[in-house]
Amino acid sequence: MDRQALLDSARKIMAPSPETAKEFSDKRVILTRIIKQVLDAKLSLPESDKAQKSGMDRNDHTYHLMHMEGLFTAYSPEEYVDTTLWTARMYRSHGFNLNHWETILKTITGIFKTELTPKAYGEIYPFYEWMISNIPDFISITDNQAP
């Protein structure tokens, strides 16, 4: 898969409703706190992961949720694809294993499922499902891009 194919698939994701975007925005700070607590407890995973050692993944949850909040408010498939590819490239350049990223994204969606209304979760989950299912493509594409 290439960037254009990712973009075509991202265009199929429906933007969340204004109500869902507002709910996410209203709960973002609480969600960030819960995500950090859960992942801090869970991420005693392999210490060989350079990004984990540096705390890079934990520090970026705040920025990730802020970015997703903006995306849910004004969805741009191009921005979504390009930012996700940039993130994958940057994390990998710091020694971050994208399989570890999958664990983080699945943990985040589990938290969303319990903390958001079913309607909001149903509208937001496709964004995370897209990221999780395309991790192999992010690796392939970023392997062929200059840093």
Side-chain angles (χ1 to χ4, degrees):
M1 187 176 292
D2 62 8
R3 180 191 174 279
Q4 186 58 51
L6 282 176
L7 185 55
D8 292 343
S9 67
R11 286 186 174 127
K12 294 176 184 171
I13 300 172
M14 299 295 296
S17 66
E19 297 80 20
T20 289
K22 181 176 181 343
E23 178 180 340
F24 187 85
S25 183
D26 290 347
K27 293 182 177 179
R28 181 181 49 78
V29 172
I30 293 167
L31 289 168
T32 301
R33 189 174 322 126
I34 294 168
I35 289 166
K36 283 182 179 183
Q37 288 171 347
V38 169
L39 288 175
D40 279 349
K42 190 177 202 168
L43 291 181
S44 315
L45 298 174
E47 286 300 319
S48 60
D49 189 327
K50 292 178 191 174
Q52 181 184 339
K53 275 191 201 175
S54 70
M56 182 177 165
D57 57 333
R58 292 184 192 120
N59 295 334
D60 285 350
H61 302 312
T62 300
Y63 301 118
H64 168 74
L65 291 188
M66 289 171 69
H67 172 71
M68 296 306 285
E69 176 183 15
L71 195 65
F72 297 153
T73 303
Y75 181 47
S76 164
E78 293 82 4
E79 177 187 332
Y80 182 44
V81 168
D82 290 340
T83 303
T84 304
L85 287 172
W86 177 86
T87 301
R89 187 171 54 252
M90 290 301 103
Y91 271 75
R92 292 185 73 219
S93 73
H94 285 91
F96 191 83
N97 182 330
L98 289 189
N99 292 327
H100 187 64
W101 194 23
E102 180 178 358
T103 300
I104 291 168
L105 293 172
K106 286 181 176 181
T107 300
I108 289 171
T109 59
I111 292 166
F112 288 171
K113 190 170 190 171
T114 62
E115 299 297 323
L116 298 172
T117 62
K119 177 184 183 300
Y121 177 76
E123 291 182 13
I124 288 172
Y125 181 74
F127 289 87
Y128 286 84
E129 179 181 41
W130 181 88
M131 284 188 278
I132 292 165
S133 67
N134 286 301
I135 286 174
D137 300 310
F138 303 151
I139 292 169
S140 173
I141 292 168
T142 57
D143 276 349
N144 296 314
Q145 291 179 335

